[in-house]
Amino acid sequence: MRHLVFDVNVLLDAFLCRGESGQAEKLLERVAEGKIKGWIAAQSLAVLEYVLRRILKEDGASGEEAQTIAQDFMGWVRQHLSVLTLPGEESRLACGGDLEDVQIALAARALGDEACIVTNDKKFSVIDGVHKLTVEDACKSLNEMSPERPIEFIDLKEQQRRVLPRLEQNIRKVLHHGQYIMGPEVRELEEKLAAYTGARHCITVASGTEALLISLMALGVKPGDEVITTPFTFVATAEVIALLGATPVFVDIQPDTCNIDPSLIEAAITPKTRAIMPVSLYGQPADMDEINAIAARHGNIPVIEDAAQSFGATYKGKKSCNLSTIGCTSFFPSKPLGCYGDGGAIFTSDDALVKAMREIRVHGQEKRYYHTRVGVGGRMDTLQCAVVLAKLERFDLEVEQRIQAGERYLALLSGAPSVRQLAVRPDRTCVWGQFTVQVENRETVLENLKAAGIPTAVHYPVPLHRQPAYQTSCRISSSLENADGVAARVVSLPMHPELDEAVQRRVVDVLLGTIN
């Protein structure tokens, strides 16, 4: 099978990212890479363009947008697929079955025995000497002929293929109206994200770090104040505290979830405590009820959930980012819901706080050139909002895929005591911003996984209380032995929504073979 003749329905499925397996897109990717020869019957070109325009219009595109998008795709088709012309003397024979099908089959027959029509139409009319395959069977045949594909740590390319039509449409709209700062997509995204989490307000910002910083500024955190948090997290959590002249107060973590241990928070509270900032690490919310209760007992201390890795997760039926006074998340490309650059969001149901946050985001402006408070340039670009809007349409599915992939990993590793797994509490979900395990002899494990072609990362090798920038500017409330121990053992394995079981089995087999 060296020549694939594509039926119109397969090309439409690939371009519109229909079908959750993404197999049609993968076939066309092989064609674009020159690994297989792709063909289209001349009779199919006009049909393809007409149907694509109609679908785009039904999906909300204007006539001009539909024409432009369709023409771009037709350009790709003509660049990568060779055109088959139905021989004149055979056109008279195209009288049995579906006329269009028979014309495609007659054109394909001219390629000889190595040609095969790829179609999703079970009733496609074939003729003698012409073979027909489903998209699934074509992919299987190609996989058998091809070497094993490299494993991706985070497969953003595959994800992009799934949302490409909507992504391109959204970006074109921004380019057309030209409102690159605070354009209509910013408000649209904020409304949809607030509705998704259940919070009353959402404020999009330039990054997850900016979300944390603006939140602390809105609370009035100043030099001399203290903010209680975890030392086992990305540096941004403590960085924003230090930037305001306040002191990060580090409390140890639970060894099984790697989240802050709420039983240690109360002892860390002093009259200087201005906020508590738990991190929903690796995609699982911390023990928010316990933390909120402690905060309430001590004068309603504000609680900020650092949910950079957990957007989409739930805690006792509520969404992460709507579990405390303020929730902050990141749209960094590798996050569960990511853009194609930097971006982030703040969530709150406090009307006074949201006013302060919106002003701080635009240099402290209450109105143009009238500054009521010190602020920052913290807006999220309209183009990045357009990207997140495209991804948000299938985000629920990706969350479910992440949860399923995490459960497969946990099951595959269940009989391996030498690999410590993250404990997921029964009253919440984990969206696996990273799938992280703990192993002894980590450097050897990393080297062996790399040699086997399996990408890994370490989140995080040095806890914040041991970072040079924070050793003298933090306060340590208790022993941080769990944070120290976990930091020496953690390894993150490949994790993304499109991760299939075969790849996970390969990863686990190599990991266990390395350890055992």
Side-chain angles (χ1 to χ4, degrees), residues 408-417 419 421 435 437 493 508 511-512:
R408 285 197 300 267
Y409 264 139
L410 294 175
L412 290 168
L413 291 166
S414 61
V419 180
Q421 303 176 52
F435 186 88
V437 297
L493 304 176
V508 170
L511 174 63
L512 296 182

Side-chain angles (χ1 to χ4, degrees), residues 259-260 278-281 284-289 291 305 315 428:
N259 280 330
I260 192 169
V279 177
S280 296
L281 198 69
Q284 177 180 205
D287 296 332
M288 298 302 294
D289 278 0
I291 295 168
E305 182 196 9
Y315 175 85
R428 66 204 74 173

Side-chain angles (χ1 to χ4, degrees), residues 235-311:
V235 68
T237 308
E239 180 178 56
V240 293
I241 301 168
L243 282 171
L244 295 176
T247 300
V249 178
F250 292 132
V251 169
D252 207 4
I253 61 173
Q254 300 166 330
D256 59 344
T257 69
C258 297
N259 280 330
I260 192 169
D261 188 339
S263 69
L264 302 175
I265 290 176
E266 202 149 21
I269 295 174
T270 72
K272 296 180 180 180
T273 303
R274 191 68 185 86
I276 302 171
M277 192 184 294
V279 177
S280 296
L281 198 69
Y282 301 144
Q284 177 180 205
D287 296 332
M288 298 302 294
D289 278 0
E290 291 89 335
I291 295 168
N292 289 333
I294 292 167
R297 286 199 299 270
H298 290 266
N300 291 318
I301 298 170
V303 176
I304 303 172
E305 182 196 9
D306 181 344
Q309 300 176 19
S310 64
F311 192 80

